């Protein structure tokens, strides 16, 4: 009897082993088969296609198209892209210290960093770079041209720029650029400190620690940490910062991957800075990844109050993998889970419908979890704040406006029309400024075009090619005017949100990013609400049910 049972068990194991082996062999064969098909196709294309092709460009397009069907975080980097990824993670590089945008074969300076080589040389946001040394920007076909601005400290780069329709020759001596993850911190009153925190690079933990210790010397007894619009970065830095407020050996985040060795549990390992200080974490719908790990861990341990809007909902972890010839890939390897066990991933990239639409996990309902003290929190769909800051729903038209160049171009016009403005903590725009902006976008259609307007333009173009325009042209102009009027009405519904964006763009021109946060510290409603909550110990305790 026992022998028969053993035989059955052994037989079962053999069957399972054969099945697994067959599965692995099948997967390997399928991968090898597809690689061979691609290789032979690529060779035939390169050898016999009637015109010359660029092998690198064709291959990059094929790779990027393949990855686009997975998730937006799985990306391929060529040699140049590898360097950009390194800069993003370290926050350090040699260059002129500008943020640029390449669009329509034009390289425009969007921001000049404080104390940078660009600032010393007199470069301004809005300047269009026409030539970099002997390279004409218009001859480039992609944004890689901006990499020509980088280089070893103390080397020179010769630029020809266009500013307000005038061409200027400017020589810039490159220097080391440090991208500070904490652009601003201050005391809001005698007890409440405020720290703005923009990214989780390799210096994030040390910069946040430096800010905390400096504010403590100034008398800080309560702290606001602002990670609104912070897209995240290095997971380990989120663990370090959580550790400043939590004791040793606390689970901060758990990752679960297909490959067992990439599944891990990250715990606090250091002595905390402060286990008692009241904390408010500010989040919005663009707080993602490591920002959500920080907010989620402090929320799960009832260690701080989360204030603002529901966060983005990125519960995926990426890792860089080296490829051949100096290239690399960043790929999603795991999902992460907060201490209470929740995964806050919102978009279900695996189950797109036939039209490519991506469903949301939260559409099926948000699962309930509990914090250490028993408060209810929710999985999927990001981090739900403990204190919601209500604001009018952002209209589709306003969302389109936010992705346009309208704010940037308006700020450029404003900058050259106004030599100075008030200090950031005293600068505030009003209704007349909003109306000026509305007039600006009304007169500058290319800066801000909705899908509806684009469709109407395409329809008229098609009608002309088919000789069907006849009486359409006049009606078309009337329809466009009606659309323009409705578009402006939609913008007015988000007046305050738009004014905040205009204010930030303008203040940045005069006082850099530091000034933007100084202005927010004085007027931002979410910061003021956090300050109010922290200064009301009864309300703070009630939220956390302490």
């Amino acid at each position: 009897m026992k022998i028969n049972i053993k035989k059955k068990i052994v037989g079962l194991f053999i069957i399972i082993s054969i099945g697994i082996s067959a599965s692995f062999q099948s997967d390997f064969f399928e991968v090898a088969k597809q690689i061979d098909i691609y290789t032979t196709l690529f060779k035939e294309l390169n050898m016999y296609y009637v015109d010359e092709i660029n092998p690198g460009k064709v291959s990059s397009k094929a790779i990027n198209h393949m990855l686009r069907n997975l998730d937006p975080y799985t990306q391929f980097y060529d040699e140049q892209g590898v360097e950009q990824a390194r800069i993003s993670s370290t926050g350090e590089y040699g260059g002129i210290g500008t943020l640029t945008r390449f669009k329509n074969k034009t390289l425009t300076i969007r921001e000049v960093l404080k104390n940078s080589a660009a600032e010393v040389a007199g470069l301004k946001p809005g300047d269009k770079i026409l030539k970099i040394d002997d390279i004409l920007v218009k001859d480039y076909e992609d944004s890689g041209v901006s990499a020509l601005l980088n280089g070893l400290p103390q080397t020179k780069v010769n630029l020809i720029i266009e500013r307000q329709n005038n061409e200027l020759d400017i020589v810039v001596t490159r220097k080391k650029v440090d991208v500070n993850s904490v652009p601003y911190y201050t005391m809001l009153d005698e007890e409440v400190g405020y720290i703005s925190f923009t990214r989780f690079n390799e210096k994030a933990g040390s910069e946040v620690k430096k800010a905390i210790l400096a504010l403590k010397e100034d008398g800080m007894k309560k702290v606001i940490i602002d990670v609104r619009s912070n897209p995240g970065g290095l997971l380990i830095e989120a663990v370090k910062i959580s550790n400043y407020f939590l004791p040793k050996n606390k689970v901060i985040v758990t990752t679960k991957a297909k490959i067992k060795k990439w599944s891990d549990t990250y715990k606090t390992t250091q002595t905390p800075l402060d286990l008692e200080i009241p904390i408010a974490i500010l989040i919005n719908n663009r707080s993602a990844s490591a920002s959500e790990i920080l907010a989620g861990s402090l929320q799960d341990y009832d260690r701080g109050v989360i204030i603002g809007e529901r966060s983005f909902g990125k519960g995926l972890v990426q890792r860089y993998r080296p490829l051949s010839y100096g290239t690399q890939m960043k790929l999603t390897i795991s999902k992460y889970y907060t201490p209470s066990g929740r995964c806050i991933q919102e978009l279900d990239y695996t189950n797109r419908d036939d039209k490519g639409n991506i469903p949301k996990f939260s559409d099926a309902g948000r699962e309930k979890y509990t914090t250490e003290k028993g408060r209810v929190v929710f999985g999927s769909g990001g981090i739900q704040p403990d204190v919601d800051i209500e604001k009018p729903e952002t209209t589709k038209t306003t969302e389109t406006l936010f992705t346009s160049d309208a704010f940037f171009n308006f700020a450029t016009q404003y900058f050259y029309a106004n030599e100075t403005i008030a200090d950031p903590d005293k600068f505030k725009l009003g209704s007349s400024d909003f109306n000026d902006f509305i007039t600006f976008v009304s007169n500058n259609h290319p800066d801000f075009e909705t899908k509806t307007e684009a469709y109407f333009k395409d329809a008229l173009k098609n009608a002309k090619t088919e000789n069907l325009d006849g009486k359409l042209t006049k009606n078309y102009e009337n329809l466009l005017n009606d659309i323009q009027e409705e578009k402006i009405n939609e913008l007015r519904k988000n007046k305050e949100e738009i004014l905040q964006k205009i204010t930030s763009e303008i203040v940045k021109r005069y006082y850099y990013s530091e000034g933007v946060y100084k202005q927010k510290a004085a007027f931002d409603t979410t910061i003021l609400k956090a300050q109010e909550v922290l200064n009301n110990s009864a309300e703070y305790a009630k939220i956390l049910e302490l």
Side-chain angles (χ1 to χ4, degrees):
M1 182 73 175
K2 289 183 179 180
I3 293 175
N4 287 336
I5 292 175
K6 286 182 179 180
K7 285 183 178 180
K8 288 180 180 179
I9 292 174
V10 170
L12 181 61
F13 273 117
I14 290 172
I15 293 170
I16 292 173
S17 298
I18 292 172
I20 293 173
S21 175
S23 175
F24 277 132
Q25 288 178 9
S26 176
D27 288 345
F28 179 80
F29 172 76
E30 187 61 28
V31 170
K33 172 185 171 183
Q34 297 305 321
I35 291 174
D36 189 50
I37 290 172
Y38 178 79
T39 301
T40 52
L41 180 149
F42 197 80
K43 285 179 179 178
E44 294 293 312
L45 187 68
N46 188 54
M47 186 173 294
Y48 298 118
Y49 185 71
V50 64
D51 294 321
E52 290 296 318
I53 65 171
N54 184 322
K57 185 180 293 185
V58 171
S59 186
S60 290
K61 285 185 176 180
I63 292 170
N64 290 329
H65 181 76
M66 173 180 66
L67 298 182
R68 199 175 296 126
N69 292 312
L70 301 177
D71 63 51
Y73 316 112
T74 299
Q75 299 174 346
F76 168 74
Y77 297 91
D78 58 17
E79 298 94 320
Q80 185 175 285
V82 169
E83 175 61 13
Q84 291 301 312
R86 185 198 67 78
I87 290 171
S88 178
S89 65
T90 62
E92 183 180 296
Y93 65 100
I96 68 172
T98 58
L99 302 181
T100 60
R101 181 178 181 182
F102 185 77
K103 182 180 179 182
N104 297 329
K105 299 223 175 225
T106 301
L107 185 66
T108 305
I109 296 177
R110 305 287 289 191
E111 183 178 345
V112 174
L113 303 182
K114 187 177 180 180
N115 299 323
S116 65
E119 181 194 25
V120 173
L123 291 172
K124 304 290 183 185
D127 289 347
K128 297 175 182 177
I129 301 176
L130 308 178
K131 194 174 182 181
I132 304 173
D133 287 329
D134 296 325
I135 306 297
L136 287 172
V137 171
K138 66 179 182 180
D139 290 342
Y140 258 71
E141 296 185 7
D142 58 49
S143 58
V145 67
S146 63
L148 298 176
L149 299 172
N150 298 335
L152 294 174
Q154 302 310 311
T155 58
K156 296 182 184 299
V157 58
N158 299 287
L159 305 178
I160 295 179
I161 68 162
E162 179 186 315
R163 177 185 298 167
Q164 299 292 286
N165 298 318
N166 296 313
E167 283 194 13
L168 301 171
D169 293 341
I170 294 181
V171 179
V172 187
T173 302
R174 298 181 180 98
K175 60 190 289 190
K176 181 181 176 182
V177 181
D178 288 317
V179 182
N180 194 339
S181 58
V182 179
Y184 183 70
Y185 59 88
T186 190
M187 291 294 294
L188 299 179
D189 57 36
E190 292 183 355
E191 294 189 345
V192 179
Y194 169 78
I195 301 171
S196 63
F197 181 26
T198 60
R199 69 196 72 205
F200 287 78
N201 59 25
E202 289 181 0
K203 298 182 179 181
S206 61
E207 292 293 341
V208 171
K209 182 177 182 179
K210 176 183 173 183
I212 292 170
L213 296 178
L215 291 174
K216 275 180 165 289
E217 287 187 4
D218 291 338
M220 181 178 72
K221 295 181 174 60
K222 305 155 189 172
V223 63
I224 298 171
I225 299 178
D226 191 345
V227 291
R228 288 177 297 174
S229 301
N230 184 324
L234 302 178
L235 177 150
I236 196 65
E237 295 300 306
V239 176
K240 285 182 186 177
I241 296 167
S242 298
N243 195 170
Y244 295 156
F245 307 108
L246 293 168
K248 283 185 179 181
N249 208 37
K250 286 285 189 179
V251 173
I252 300 300
V253 63
T254 301
T255 62
K256 296 180 182 180
K258 180 177 12 178
I259 305 299
K260 187 176 181 180
K261 68 176 182 179
W262 286 350
S263 297
D264 209 345
T265 297
Y266 297 83
K267 298 182 179 181
T268 53
T269 59
Q270 305 297 317
T271 301
L273 296 179
D274 196 321
L275 292 176
E276 302 296 331
I277 188 170
I279 306 166
I281 302 288
L282 310 187
I283 62 173
N284 65 5
N285 59 6
R286 291 193 293 160
S287 302
S289 189
S291 292
E292 294 172 301
I293 291 174
L294 173 63
S297 63
L298 295 181
Q299 186 178 52
D300 283 357
Y301 287 117
D302 306 287
R303 185 62 190 86
V305 172
I306 313 301
I307 299 176
E309 310 167 43
R310 196 167 89 176
S311 64
F312 180 80
K314 180 178 180 288
L316 306 175
V317 180
Q318 286 72 44
R319 177 172 294 189
Y320 289 100
R321 299 290 295 169
L323 304 176
S324 55
Y325 297 100
T327 63
Q328 69 180 19
M329 176 171 62
K330 182 178 72 171
L331 75 159
T332 299
I333 62 163
S334 62
K335 293 182 178 179
Y336 72 77
Y337 299 80
T338 71
S340 64
R342 52 184 169 149
C343 179
I344 51 84
Q345 176 64 22
E346 170 70 304
L347 298 177
D348 183 5
Y349 296 106
T350 302
N351 294 302
R352 300 171 193 254
D353 64 20
D354 294 338
K355 296 181 180 179
N357 298 315
I358 304 169
K360 296 180 179 180
F361 284 109
S362 60
D363 287 343
R366 304 188 71 187
E367 289 186 62
K368 292 183 179 181
Y369 297 82
T370 55
T371 68
E372 194 171 57
K373 294 183 180 298
R375 292 188 302 141
V376 174
V377 290
F378 297 93
S380 70
I383 301 294
Q384 185 70 38
D386 303 306
V387 178
D388 282 295
I389 301 297
E390 295 184 5
K391 66 173 187 177
E393 183 179 352
T394 304
T395 66
K396 291 293 184 182
T397 303
T398 302
E399 288 178 358
T400 301
L401 177 68
F402 281 151
T403 61
S404 75
D405 291 328
F407 292 105
F408 180 82
N409 293 336
F410 179 78
T412 299
Q413 175 182 287
Y414 188 100
F415 177 77
Y416 286 107
N418 298 272
E419 187 174 344
T420 61
I421 62 172
D423 288 340
D425 56 354
K426 296 180 177 61
F427 182 79
K428 189 171 176 64
L429 298 177
S431 295
S432 62
D433 300 292
F434 178 78
N435 291 332
D436 288 344
F437 178 72
I438 292 299
T439 300
F440 176 84
V441 296
S442 297
N443 295 334
N444 293 273
H445 290 250
D447 284 349
F448 169 42
E449 184 176 78
T450 63
K451 287 183 179 179
T452 301
E453 289 171 305
Y455 290 151
F456 267 95
K457 284 185 179 180
D458 287 342
L460 181 63
K461 184 179 178 181
N462 290 334
K464 286 182 177 180
T465 60
E466 297 175 358
N467 295 319
L468 297 175
D469 51 316
K471 298 179 180 180
L472 288 179
T473 303
K474 184 178 179 180
N475 292 331
Y476 168 79
E477 292 299 330
N478 290 335
L479 279 170
L480 272 189
N481 289 333
D482 289 341
I483 292 171
Q484 181 70 12
E485 186 177 338
E486 289 301 318
K487 186 167 75 170
I488 298 306
N489 290 336
E490 287 294 287
L491 295 183
R492 292 189 186 280
K493 295 176 182 179
N494 297 125
K495 177 181 175 181
E496 292 305 316
E497 191 174 358
I498 290 171
L499 272 175
Q500 289 172 13
K501 177 67 173 174
I502 302 170
T503 300
S504 295
E505 283 290 344
I506 291 174
V507 170
K508 191 186 297 181
R509 300 302 175 96
Y510 298 87
Y511 298 104
Y512 306 95
S513 292
E514 178 181 325
V516 174
Y517 288 97
K518 187 175 182 181
Q519 198 276 340
K520 287 180 182 294
F523 298 106
D524 185 273
T525 54
T526 304
I527 295 174
L528 294 176
K529 178 61 178 178
Q531 187 178 0
E532 176 190 317
V533 169
L534 290 176
N535 282 329
N536 186 333
S537 56
E539 182 182 2
Y540 181 83
K542 183 179 179 181
I543 293 169
L544 297 178
E545 298 182 358
L546 299 176

